[in-house]
Amino acid sequence: MAAPLPAAPDTGRPAATKRYGWLRQGALLVLAVGCGMLVANNPFRPSSDNPDATARGYLRFKEILSYVDRDYADSVDTDRLADYAVAQMLEKLDPHSVYIPARDREKSDAFLQSDFDGIGIEFNLFRDTMTVVAPLSGGPAEQAGVQPGDQVMSIANRRVSGAHLTMSRLTELLRGPRGSTVSMELRRRGLARPLLLSIARSRIANSSVDAAYLVDDQTGYIKVSRFASNTYDEFKAALIDLRRQGLTRLVLDLRGNPGGYLDRATRLADEFIGGSRKIVYTDGKGEHYDSQTYARVAGEFEQGALVVLVDEGSASAAEVVAGALQDHDRAILVGRRTFGKGLVQQPIALSDGGELRLTIARYYTPSGRSIQKPYGASHADYSRDLANRLTNGELTTADSVRFAKELRFRTDHGRVVYGGGGIMPDVFVPRDTLAHSAYFTKLMSHGVARAYALAFYQANKAELEGLRFEQFNATFRITDAQLVSLAAQAAQAGAKTDAAAMRRCAPLLRNQLKAFIARSAYGPVAYYTVLREQDPELQRALHAVGDSTAQLALLGK
């Protein structure tokens, strides 16, 4: 079966994190086309399964919308009314069947692209000031001399500092057709006058492998943030490189990975699973949408200790990988129960330029577990699932997770695993309550911590450039005075000072600030290396991957 894109979960995150899937046409497709285009140039074709009911529904909607457009007391936007009607109709089906209007398709598709046209900068927005975190290596911005800490005053002669623009809008201003130029006015510490640059846009790599490095002489760490078009190639190259450096055991980090293209995920899983064992299968309405995917190549790492990190943000294609590795006893899973997005969508291009992503099947792990968690008539209840997990204690205590006995399955070696939605890890690690505390979250979401780190980097740039990362990591510490200064800046940005909360989250905050500084001074690998010190899930995973006796016991070997 062709491998389009599995939709990711609706978790209340920004639109860029709602996602994708595959699979099938039916009567409602025709209805959606009719709603969007009415009688335009797309002839109505009723469903072969239920032609009379489909035709009646189509004609009813056409007639009502025509009356509204012609006779309603006020002027109406019939396109938006049709979009709303389609969205409400699809919501009655399941949480992941969606209609994407033509105006939103580019933004929606961008998440799964492995490159884009732009100038290549990572930036922070704090107190309505856009500040460069880092220019992407080799990109036009770096070649033009843009530096971490530069404040962007205007883009294309449009004032952006103090203009109350969103991160999304700022990104749109930076991107544009390859070869076109964009003018920027920058303010840099130590310079009396602003810098005026004209930067030619080019193709920028949008990597989905966020980090890949050796933790020690034998242990590798690879973080995959999503399954985009080039994810498998990026992953394979990173894995081969680490193998050359001496990797014999691996931690694969799929936390927060919302999914993406299924075939990229199954090819990644195939690197770990030997022989011709099953990776995933789908079951839909009729055999046309049923499929089975098996391992088929000699993988790069079919032997050797493997630990996979998952959490409540791991969804869809990420759950396919985790479920297959667990069912075949190939890896130890560490973390918390995954999201539970096991509905398969097929993207269907519509004649108005929009796209219907229609659920046509369900994902099942090799042992037969359904990945999809239950959903009913209430879309709101489904959306509150993660909040309910917190309320019920599931994110902090493994015993709070309840499984139905009739949904018991067994792995290749006879270990008991459960279906019913999501993948439960072998080793439970409670969520770090400090990392999700109200005060720490405010410091991070307001951009305060990153802004403080950027200012520190700029003020101490020369000294930092004189240190190797290993020296910095071994000796650098955030002081109490710096935390007090940070709290004062946060108060000015609307995060009210809370001395008790600051004391509680101080170790985590020191680590995060240090990681941000390392990111600007030494790059992304340095950032993840520093964060490792205060990452309880990763620390547990590193312990598990290095304990061969525990590995064998957990995997039933």
Side-chain angles (χ1 to χ4, degrees):
M1 183 170 119
L5 27 191
D10 183 355
T11 57
R13 297 178 181 175
T17 61
K18 268 189 177 176
R19 13 250 147 176
Y20 17 85
W22 317 280
L23 322 164
R24 140 128 86 160
Q25 301 167 345
L28 291 175
L29 164 60
V30 182
L31 269 178
V33 173
C35 292
M37 298 296 290
L38 279 182
V39 198
N41 57 2
N42 197 355
F44 171 68
R45 293 171 302 180
S47 163
S48 59
D49 292 338
N50 193 10
D52 292 341
T54 306
R56 287 195 302 271
Y58 167 78
L59 293 173
R60 185 185 309 124
F61 183 87
K62 171 180 177 261
E63 186 175 16
I64 291 172
L65 189 60
S66 296
Y67 275 116
V68 169
D69 186 38
R70 188 183 66 199
D71 298 327
Y72 185 67
D74 299 318
S75 296
V76 295
D77 185 336
T78 52
D79 276 346
R80 289 193 178 275
L81 279 178
D83 289 352
Y84 177 78
V86 171
Q88 293 296 105
M89 174 183 66
L90 295 175
E91 190 174 302
K92 289 294 184 182
L93 301 179
D94 66 79
H96 299 292
S97 288
V98 295
Y99 165 65
I100 302 171
R103 61 181 176 273
D104 297 330
R105 274 193 70 181
E106 185 176 351
K107 290 182 182 178
S108 180
D109 293 342
F111 180 77
L112 294 176
Q113 295 173 357
S114 290
D115 50 26
F116 60 89
D117 290 338
I119 65 169
I121 63 168
E122 181 184 344
F123 65 89
N124 182 50
L125 189 61
F126 174 60
R127 297 176 69 179
D128 210 22
T129 299
M130 179 183 178
T131 307
V132 177
V133 171
L136 301 186
S137 179
E142 183 186 58
Q143 294 174 11
V146 177
Q147 298 179 7
D150 285 349
Q151 294 181 334
V152 182
M153 311 308 294
S154 67
I155 300 174
N157 298 318
R158 174 172 179 172
R159 196 74 177 172
V160 297
S161 178
H164 306 292
L165 301 178
T166 64
M167 297 280 281
S168 177
R169 180 60 183 138
L170 291 169
T171 299
E172 289 177 7
L173 291 173
L174 291 172
R175 295 187 181 184
R178 195 181 327 178
S180 62
T181 60
V182 58
S183 60
M184 297 179 66
E185 179 185 353
L186 305 176
R187 184 168 62 194
R188 180 174 297 167
R189 184 187 183 96
L191 296 182
R193 296 182 179 180
L195 293 170
L196 301 177
L197 301 177
S198 181
I199 305 175
R201 297 181 177 99
S202 68
R203 208 65 177 160
I204 306 296
N206 187 22
S207 178
S208 51
V209 175
D210 290 353
Y213 64 94
L214 285 183
V215 176
D216 55 37
D217 292 342
Q218 301 179 65
T219 309
Y221 170 84
I222 301 178
K223 180 172 180 59
V224 180
S225 60
R226 67 194 190 284
F227 288 99
S229 57
N230 205 41
T231 297
Y232 172 73
D233 295 330
E234 293 174 17
F235 171 81
K236 183 72 179 273
L239 183 60
I240 289 174
D241 182 57
L242 293 181
R243 292 275 284 172
R244 288 172 179 159
Q245 296 180 50
L247 175 146
T248 60
R249 52 199 186 203
L250 176 66
V251 174
L252 174 64
D253 192 346
L254 297 181
R255 289 175 297 177
N257 183 319
Y261 290 110
L262 177 63
D263 65 333
R264 275 62 164 189
T266 55
R267 291 175 71 191
L268 186 150
D270 198 355
E271 291 297 319
F272 304 115
I273 296 173
S276 57
R277 287 180 286 182
K278 187 180 295 184
I279 295 175
V280 66
Y281 69 93
T282 64
D283 184 24
K285 183 180 179 181
E287 295 182 359
H288 183 64
Y289 298 109
D290 296 346
S291 69
Q292 300 190 56
T293 302
Y294 293 87
R296 58 186 180 84
V297 301
E300 187 66 32
F301 195 63
E302 292 182 356
Q303 301 292 327
L306 175 64
V307 169
V308 179
L309 279 166
V310 293
D311 65 8
E312 57 279 359
S314 307
S316 196
E319 295 175 284
V320 168
V321 174
L325 295 175
Q326 187 180 53
D327 278 4
H328 291 309
D329 296 295
R330 176 63 189 93
I332 292 176
L333 270 56
V334 172
R336 292 176 297 281
R337 183 166 68 98
T338 61
F339 182 86
K341 194 280 175 185
L343 297 177
V344 183
Q345 282 75 51
Q346 176 167 300
I348 304 165
L350 305 179
S351 59
D352 69 345
E355 183 175 87
L356 172 65
R357 293 177 179 176
L358 185 66
T359 296
I360 56 163
R362 288 176 168 82
Y363 290 123
Y364 293 85
T365 71
S367 68
R369 291 183 286 167
S370 172
I371 291 174
Q372 179 62 42
K373 62 188 175 185
Y375 60 90
S378 173
H379 186 73
D381 288 344
Y382 186 83
S383 299
R384 284 194 295 267
D385 173 65
L386 295 185
N388 292 337
R389 293 190 197 186
L390 178 62
T391 303
N392 298 335
E394 179 178 330
L395 301 183
T396 54
T397 309
D399 293 342
S400 298
V401 186
R402 305 297 182 201
F403 297 104
K405 292 183 179 179
E406 63 271 20
L407 296 177
R408 180 182 298 172
F409 297 83
R410 292 192 178 275
T411 68
D412 288 358
H413 291 132
R415 293 188 300 132
V416 173
V417 290
Y418 288 91
I423 305 295
M424 185 67 184
D426 306 298
V427 179
F428 177 84
V429 179
R431 189 162 81 165
D432 187 345
T433 55
L434 290 178
H436 293 85
S437 64
Y439 188 66
F440 184 81
T441 300
K442 281 184 180 180
L443 294 180
M444 301 306 294
S445 63
H446 284 53
V448 182
R450 174 155 271 184
Y452 188 89
L454 281 170
F456 180 91
Y457 165 76
Q458 276 217 318
N460 299 275
K461 184 179 176 182
E463 183 179 352
L464 290 168
E465 288 179 346
L467 292 175
R468 290 181 294 105
F469 169 68
E470 292 75 15
Q471 294 173 306
F472 168 84
N473 197 33
T475 61
F476 182 82
R477 297 290 181 271
I478 297 292
T479 66
D480 290 342
Q482 288 170 325
L483 290 183
V484 171
S485 176
L486 172 67
Q489 288 189 20
Q492 293 177 358
K496 185 178 178 181
T497 302
D498 186 333
M502 174 61 86
R503 284 194 298 272
R504 287 193 298 272
C505 70
L508 188 62
L509 190 54
R510 292 180 204 274
N511 179 256
Q512 188 68 67
L513 287 170
K514 180 178 177 179
F516 281 147
I517 295 168
R519 171 69 183 91
S520 295
Y522 306 104
V525 170
Y527 171 78
Y528 284 101
T529 301
V530 173
L531 283 184
R532 189 173 72 223
E533 299 173 10
Q534 293 289 326
D535 187 338
E537 295 149 24
L538 180 52
Q539 291 296 330
R540 185 65 184 86
L542 292 172
H543 175 75
V545 80
D547 188 341
S548 58
T549 302
Q551 276 247 334
L552 292 173
L554 279 168
L555 297 179
K557 296 180 179 179

